[in-house]
Amino acid sequence: MDAADVAALRRIRVSLWDVEGRPGFFSSWDFSAVDPCDSFAGVTCSGSRVSVLELGTGLSGSPGLAGYLSPAIAWLGELNQLILFGGAVAGPIPPELGSLRNLRVLSLTGNRLTGEIPARIFGLGNLHTLDLSRNRLSGSLPPAFPLLGQLRVLVLAGNGLQGEMPRFLPEQLFHLDFSHNNLSGTLPSRMPATLRYLSAANNRLTGDLDGLLDPLSELAYLDLSANQFGGPLPDSLFNRSSVTSILLQRNNFTGTLPRSQPPPTKAPGSTVDLSHNSLEGELTAAFIGVEVLYLNNNRLTGGVPKEYISSVEAGSMETLYLQHNFLTEFPMEVGTSLPDTAAVCVSYNCISEPPIGLSTCPTSAGDQLSRPPEQCSWLPSKLLA
């Protein structure tokens, strides 16, 4: 093995140790061995140089490693993958990692890393995957990622990042996750058209989605929940059979539900969550093909279309939460049995005698079957007939 790589591995071994304090991951790191390439756990070589370094086992239930990341990692000049599995590694990310020009995968997820993300990391032009999620990183993000032209996966979820979202993102991204931070401002006006997975949940983002997501023809998963988005729902988002999960709950969306239309075929496990917004008007047929549907805690009125009840009875819709609205009819005969897998809740609406009880409602729905009459008095009389 190259002498510089051996020296780097020695420094790395000193900086990290098994959490449990007994021989574990590093038990095979015997520097008296003929060649670390042949015997060191987590080390893969190309020729005489280390090309892949995987620190920790990644096994379920493993406590992982403790210590800190040594700047000597940057001595591994031919490294193309650096993976640190979940554990208790603390301290900053060494800015020296920005000199690893061949690096394609940098994953340091699930540890206790602190400080800002070194700016030099965003200059790694060959980087394909950057996953720094579930650490304790802080600071702001750069306004643009102009040099990360090869980046496809960017995961910074579960940190303490602040400031605004970047205005410009790598054009070929297909997985983007900024969730569970403290980011503010709006989503970029131009999103990568290649995105398949987009999550920015649990931040402080604002603005509306009008036209913003239209170019994302490959989008399959969207989670913008627990932010401060407002305005109307984008009808075009719900017309695509490719989108299997749309999570927009706990925002400030207003207006009506998407217009009634023949529902697209949804994949198993499809989920739409629009709960805890300010949506009004009648429940349309737009979501009949969805397996899990949350529309609770809005201001919906009118009756529930029979097609929804038929979907539940047939087992194609497993969850239908409509509680805490102002709905006036749930056209199912009393005594009709639903599948054991079905979870249906219509409590606390303007239905005087709901045909189903509270047995499949979440505890957050409360214990009142119907709203007090005075809360429904503002509804047109035709809706209460």
Side-chain angles (χ1 to χ4, degrees):
M1 175 181 281
D2 181 86
D5 285 11
V6 174
L9 294 178
R10 288 183 180 275
R11 293 288 187 92
I12 293 166
R13 177 64 188 91
V14 171
S15 69
L16 296 170
W17 52 88
D18 292 286
V19 169
E20 294 181 341
R22 62 176 186 266
F25 172 76
F26 286 113
S27 61
S28 65
W29 283 44
D30 179 4
F31 286 93
S32 65
V34 176
D35 190 348
C37 289
D38 297 330
S39 58
F40 280 25
V43 174
T44 302
C45 296
S46 179
S48 64
R49 304 301 303 272
V50 177
S51 58
V52 177
L53 182 60
E54 297 179 333
L55 298 169
T57 65
L59 297 176
S60 177
S62 171
L65 304 177
Y68 63 93
L69 288 176
S70 172
I73 295 173
W75 300 354
L76 303 173
E78 297 300 318
L79 196 65
N80 59 61
Q81 292 188 42
L82 173 58
I83 298 172
L84 172 64
F85 291 107
V89 178
I93 299 173
E96 290 84 354
L97 297 185
S99 66
L100 294 170
R101 297 301 175 184
N102 295 318
L103 203 62
R104 287 185 51 78
V105 175
L106 177 56
S107 176
L108 310 175
T109 183
N111 281 276
R112 301 175 184 175
L113 299 173
T114 57
E116 298 188 7
I117 302 172
R120 294 175 63 185
I121 298 294
F122 299 118
L124 292 171
N126 289 314
L127 205 59
H128 175 283
T129 298
L130 177 60
D131 187 350
L132 307 178
S133 60
R134 295 185 294 113
N135 280 286
R136 301 172 181 178
L137 299 171
S138 58
S140 58
L141 295 171
F145 296 100
L147 299 179
L148 295 177
Q150 303 298 318
L151 197 66
R152 301 293 183 271
V153 178
L154 177 58
V155 185
L156 302 177
N159 283 288
L161 300 174
Q162 300 178 344
E164 296 194 357
M165 290 272 289
R167 294 296 86 203
F168 300 97
L169 295 165
E171 294 185 354
Q172 302 301 317
L173 274 179
F174 60 75
H175 188 113
L176 176 62
D177 191 345
F178 284 133
S179 62
H180 296 272
N181 279 286
N182 197 28
L183 297 172
S184 57
T186 61
L187 289 175
S189 58
R190 183 179 177 182
M191 303 288 288
T194 52
L195 276 178
R196 303 171 193 168
Y197 183 108
L198 171 58
S199 178
N202 289 86
N203 281 284
R204 297 187 295 115
L205 300 174
T206 59
D208 61 54
L209 304 182
D210 186 28
L212 186 64
L213 304 176
D214 290 353
L216 309 186
S217 59
E218 300 183 37
L219 192 65
Y221 181 95
L222 175 68
D223 187 358
L224 301 179
S225 59
N227 278 286
Q228 299 168 22
F229 291 107
L233 296 172
D235 279 9
S236 60
L237 180 63
F238 301 94
N239 292 335
R240 310 176 195 175
S241 59
S242 63
V243 185
T244 58
S245 295
I246 302 174
L247 309 177
L248 301 177
Q249 69 270 25
R250 297 187 183 278
N251 278 285
N252 300 318
F253 290 109
T254 58
T256 59
L257 296 178
R259 293 182 295 274
S260 178
Q261 56 199 339
T265 302
K266 293 290 185 183
S270 57
T271 300
V272 173
D273 192 343
L274 304 177
S275 63
H276 295 273
N277 280 287
S278 298
L279 301 171
E280 57 188 12
E282 297 190 357
L283 177 56
T284 68
F287 306 117
I288 292 173
V290 175
E291 187 172 299
V292 177
L293 179 61
Y294 302 103
L295 295 174
N296 52 284
N297 294 82
N298 280 287
R299 298 182 62 80
L300 300 177
T301 56
V304 178
K306 293 182 179 180
E307 291 88 345
Y308 285 91
I309 299 169
S310 298
S311 294
V312 174
E313 291 176 343
S316 58
M317 178 176 284
E318 294 189 354
T319 301
L320 177 60
Y321 279 2
L322 301 172
Q323 68 270 19
H324 287 257
N325 280 286
F326 294 85
L327 299 170
T328 54
E329 183 183 11
F330 190 77
M332 186 182 80
E333 295 183 5
V334 176
T336 300
S337 61
L338 298 176
D340 292 339
T341 57
V344 179
C345 187
V346 294
S347 67
Y348 213 66
N349 276 283
C350 294
I351 306 171
S352 58
E353 295 183 7
I356 54 177
L358 298 169
S359 60
T360 59
C361 287
T363 55
S364 59
D367 57 3
Q368 292 181 274
L369 274 177
S370 302
R371 286 182 178 275
E374 60 269 19
Q375 293 188 11
C376 303
S377 60
W378 62 274
L379 293 171
S381 57
K382 65 179 181 179
L383 294 179
L384 297 171

